[in-house]
Amino acid sequence: MDHNKLSKDILQLVGGEENVNNVIHCMTRLRFNLKDNNKVKRSQLESLDGVMGTNISGAQFQIIIGNEVPKVYKAILENSKLSDGASSGGTQSGGKQNVISAIFDVISGVFTPILPAIAGAGMIKGILAIFVLLGWVAEGSQTHTILNVIGDGAFYFMPIILAVSAARKFGSNMYIGAAIGAAILHPNLSALFAAGDPISFIGLPVTIATYSSTVIPILLAIWIASYVEKWIDRVTHASLKLIVVPTVTLLVVVPVTLITVGPLGAILGEYLSTGINFLFENAGLVAMILLAGTFSVIIMTGMHYALVPIMINNITVNGFDYMIPAMFLANMGQAGASFAVALKTKSPKFKSLSYSVSVTALMGITEPAMYGVNVRLKKPFIGALLGAAVGGAYMGITKVAAYILAGAAGLPGIPAFIGPTFVHAMIGLVIAFIAATIISYLIGFEDVVEEGTKEEAPTTVKEEVVATAFTSTQVHSPITGEVKPLSEVNDPTFAQELMGKGIAIYPEVGEVVSPVSGTITTLFKTKHAIGITSDTGAEILIHVGLDTVQLNGQYFTTHLEEGARVNVGDKITSFDIEAIKGQGYDVITPVIITNTNSYADITAVMSGKVKKGEVLLDLATN
């Protein structure tokens, strides 16, 4: 690979150096923050020798290079006036982040960490509805009341949960944020509002508003609090900060919220929900067709983050939402299109991949199907969009709504539809899957040609290979956790085995140990990825989490250095699983054999639970 030439070609095809705000790299890919992604010549980039693929994550344009990425990155810096973006932790340099990207970044950073809480609570509400429908729990009974409290608690106290998440995102004290949320939900304040009498605070009128289950008022309040807190902290002597900063912040922000920000946010939230409901009630057919048919594209651009608070607001204010069904339809479309590819492709390897990612899309994890199969083949992606739109037409006519937030927009999330339109929702999902399958099968695609198919060796040679004695190398598990196939990794680089074959582990203990005896050849300075070469020549990549390069080493601790000699079981890195998940990152950890072509076969030895040090992979050589 000519790193110098490749770097120049990449710079030219991303729109030139003048289109680059910032570039950093992780273990496998270049990560560009561009001024205009539309200037990228993506197909030409993907055809370059040395480029394995491209991906867009939020506003970030990613070019998948593989093991050679540090050298390509270095060549880019040498052939341009760009600075080392990694030195600043991957922040954008050379210009401010545009407003739209900044908004998406804030929404994603605030809402992603809280989704498990509200998804879990929503599922409990859905399960309770099923129990009542089946007569297993009597409505109004003590059991019903307790289960309802468990399911409704996260939604009622939404302002407190959001306050913590928003304060962390805005860089202010999370517990001061929680105190602000608690204040506007206090029972005495609610009683004061319920009395209906005029209310004032030091002579200023307080507008009566309901804050339980709301979204917008607390976001505005914590945004203001972040500035107030930082300003007070800056002007207060160090010896007084502990008392003065929280006291003044609460005394300023809570009254401001009650007098101006809170009522304004409540009104905005109400108007937003009313407007969306009006659109779907009066033009539901067109609205659902358009939204369902374009939702996969919305996900690819990262704009779906902007819809999350609207969905939550609709659920908490109205008790239902018309936008969530479109997410389900989009995933059913991607699943159906991949299923069609599996039925039609002549490549055994790609057939297996397509079946696998179709199932994961049905479960609500759509990226492997979208990037690994449908976008790659182009026409099936169109089939997925059209199939989702057909399902959207049915749901639009029947006015299907979702009544809870139930996690992934797939089969496990079906309780989201428990309500008056449940049957129509199920029919709509089936229609989307079948329509996408039929459309994708009929419009066809240019089939994948497996490597070596055109110049396949004679049968006699194959028989000779089979007869050859094999030796094997064992790779032990570097992590304690649950074994997952690479196809379930929500990143096309790993799901498509672009980096090589291997396995993934969902960690239960935040510790990485050496899976072989050998040498640490790469220990990335962000600490999230480790490259090891075994004494027998196996090259192993351990990549802790997805996109965790953006944490810039936060929550990771290294115990050895690059170049160190290791034996099986030697501790290399430790990491805080919950803190990383709390920042919205997936902690699933691919373990890849990057020199896959050096082996006749790579077999996963373990399934289910695995402990560090147990044999994980068997590498067969002849």
Side-chain angles (χ1 to χ4, degrees):
M1 181 190 297
D2 187 338
H3 304 112
N4 190 56
K5 182 180 184 303
L6 180 58
S7 69
K8 292 178 179 179
D9 290 341
I10 287 174
L11 280 173
Q12 179 184 354
L13 294 175
V14 296
E17 180 181 340
E18 62 277 7
N19 192 39
V20 180
N21 277 330
N22 171 263
V23 58
I24 59 173
H25 76 96
C26 62
M27 197 71 178
T28 60
R29 64 191 74 186
L30 296 167
R31 296 167 176 264
F32 285 91
N33 288 108
L34 302 174
K35 294 174 183 176
D36 185 359
N37 282 344
N38 294 323
K39 292 183 179 180
V40 176
K41 297 178 181 178
R42 194 167 180 179
S43 60
Q44 293 181 43
L45 267 173
E46 292 176 344
S47 66
L48 290 176
D49 181 27
V51 173
M52 296 180 177
T54 62
N55 185 39
I56 296 177
S57 178
Q60 191 179 76
F61 186 82
Q62 304 173 357
I63 301 176
I64 304 162
I65 303 293
N67 289 338
E68 300 292 306
V69 69
K71 296 177 182 178
V72 177
Y73 176 73
K74 181 180 179 182
I76 285 176
L77 298 185
E78 291 174 348
N79 290 314
S80 69
K81 296 180 181 178
L82 298 172
S83 60
D84 185 357
S87 64
S88 61
T91 58
Q92 287 184 335
S93 60
K96 290 186 177 181
Q97 190 179 24
N98 67 67
V99 175
I100 300 299
S101 294
I103 292 173
F104 288 169
D105 178 64
V106 168
I107 292 174
S108 172
V110 171
F111 283 90
T112 300
I114 74 167
L115 287 179
I118 58 179
M123 283 296 292
I124 291 171
K125 294 183 73 168
I127 292 170
L128 179 59
I130 294 174
F131 285 178
V132 171
L133 184 66
L134 296 175
W136 295 352
V137 174
E139 194 165 0
S141 67
Q142 293 177 347
T143 299
H144 178 275
T145 299
I146 292 173
L147 287 174
N148 190 57
V149 166
I150 297 172
D152 201 46
F155 293 96
Y156 184 89
F157 293 102
M158 179 71 70
I160 297 178
I161 297 174
L162 274 175
V164 172
S165 186
R168 179 167 55 187
K169 179 62 181 176
F170 293 136
S172 54
N173 188 290
M174 294 184 293
Y175 304 104
I176 295 177
I180 294 170
I184 65 174
L185 291 176
H186 198 282
N188 288 349
L189 183 63
S190 300
L192 196 62
F193 286 167
D197 298 326
I199 304 170
S200 65
F201 176 75
I202 59 173
L204 298 173
V206 174
T207 303
I208 296 175
T210 300
Y211 295 114
S212 59
S213 302
T214 58
V215 171
I216 298 178
I218 194 64
L219 292 180
L220 294 174
I222 301 303
W223 177 63
I224 292 173
S226 67
Y227 286 96
V228 173
E229 180 186 334
K230 290 171 186 175
W231 181 82
I232 297 170
D233 183 80
R234 190 166 56 249
V235 301
T236 303
H237 190 275
S239 62
L240 300 174
K241 287 181 186 290
L242 180 62
I243 299 298
V244 173
V245 174
T247 301
V248 177
T249 301
L250 289 171
L251 284 176
V252 171
V253 175
V254 174
V256 167
T257 300
L258 295 176
I259 294 168
T260 57
V261 175
L264 174 62
I267 292 170
L268 286 174
E270 185 177 346
Y271 280 155
L272 187 62
S273 295
T274 300
I276 291 172
N277 292 339
F278 178 84
L279 175 65
F280 278 91
E281 290 288 348
N282 294 277
L285 176 61
V286 175
M288 188 60 83
I289 289 175
L290 290 176
L291 188 58
T294 60
F295 213 97
S296 290
V297 178
I298 292 172
I299 291 173
M300 292 176 70
T301 63
M303 291 191 297
H304 61 295
Y305 288 123
L307 302 178
V308 172
I310 299 175
M311 296 173 185
I312 294 175
N313 187 72
N314 288 341
I315 291 287
T316 55
V317 173
N318 301 316
F320 60 88
D321 175 70
Y322 289 118
M323 303 176 75
I324 294 174
M327 295 177 63
F328 279 80
L329 290 169
N331 287 359
M332 295 302 107
Q334 296 297 332
S338 295
F339 185 68
V341 172
L343 294 175
K344 196 164 189 175
T345 182
K346 297 295 189 293
S347 164
K349 180 179 177 181
F350 203 66
K351 183 183 290 288
S352 176
L353 171 66
S354 300
Y355 276 129
S356 176
V357 299
S358 177
V359 173
T360 59
L362 286 173
M363 295 298 108
I365 304 170
T366 188
E367 281 81 357
M370 186 157 56
Y371 293 115
V373 175
N374 301 332
V375 171
R376 177 178 176 181
L377 299 179
K378 298 180 178 63
K379 287 184 179 179
F381 184 68
I382 296 173
L385 300 183
L386 294 175
V390 173
Y394 181 83
M395 284 196 179
I397 292 171
T398 54
K399 291 183 167 47
V400 169
Y403 300 91
I404 61 172
L405 287 168
L411 298 183
I414 281 177
F417 294 106
I418 294 175
T421 58
F422 180 79
V423 173
H424 291 302
M426 297 302 99
I427 294 173
L429 296 181
V430 172
I431 289 174
F433 180 85
I434 293 176
T437 301
I438 294 173
I439 293 171
S440 299
Y441 193 92
L442 292 178
I443 64 176
F445 51 88
E446 185 177 343
D447 203 359
V448 173
V449 178
E450 289 190 357
E451 188 176 344
T453 299
K454 292 183 179 179
E455 299 180 5
E456 196 166 62
T459 304
T460 54
V461 175
K462 286 184 179 179
E463 292 171 350
E464 181 180 341
V465 170
V466 171
T468 303
F470 283 87
T471 59
S472 67
T473 297
Q474 291 184 332
V475 176
H476 300 257
S477 179
I479 290 177
T480 296
E482 186 174 358
V483 175
K484 301 284 187 181
L486 284 182
S487 60
E488 292 189 16
V489 177
N490 192 11
D491 186 314
T493 306
F494 300 114
Q496 296 178 43
E497 299 183 345
L498 296 180
M499 290 296 298
K501 294 183 178 181
I503 204 75
I505 302 173
Y506 195 86
E508 295 178 354
V509 179
E511 184 177 281
V512 178
V513 301
S514 179
V516 292
S517 294
T519 304
I520 299 176
T521 49
T522 306
L523 187 54
F524 209 64
K525 59 185 177 183
T526 50
K527 308 174 187 177
H528 73 293
I530 305 154
I532 303 173
T533 300
S534 74
D535 292 337
T536 59
E539 297 173 5
I540 303 152
L541 167 65
I542 304 166
H543 195 286
V544 181
L546 305 182
D547 286 329
T548 45
V549 63
Q550 299 184 48
L551 290 171
N552 202 35
Q554 188 179 15
Y555 310 125
F556 289 87
T557 302
T558 54
H559 304 283
L560 295 173
E561 297 181 354
E562 189 173 297
R565 167 77 189 173
V566 288
N567 294 313
V568 175
D570 287 350
K571 187 194 296 187
I572 301 174
T573 300
S574 55
F575 56 98
D576 189 330
I577 296 176
E578 294 305 318
I580 294 172
K581 289 165 61 177
Q583 292 294 324
Y585 293 94
D586 189 342
V587 294
I588 193 167
T589 299
V591 180
I592 307 296
I593 308 303
T594 56
N595 60 335
T596 289
N597 292 335
S598 300
Y599 296 93
D601 191 27
I602 296 175
T603 306
V605 177
M606 293 292 295
S607 61
K609 300 289 185 180
V610 65
K611 294 181 180 180
K612 63 181 182 182
E614 293 182 335
V615 177
L616 182 68
L617 296 170
D618 187 82
L619 316 183
T621 58
N622 55 11

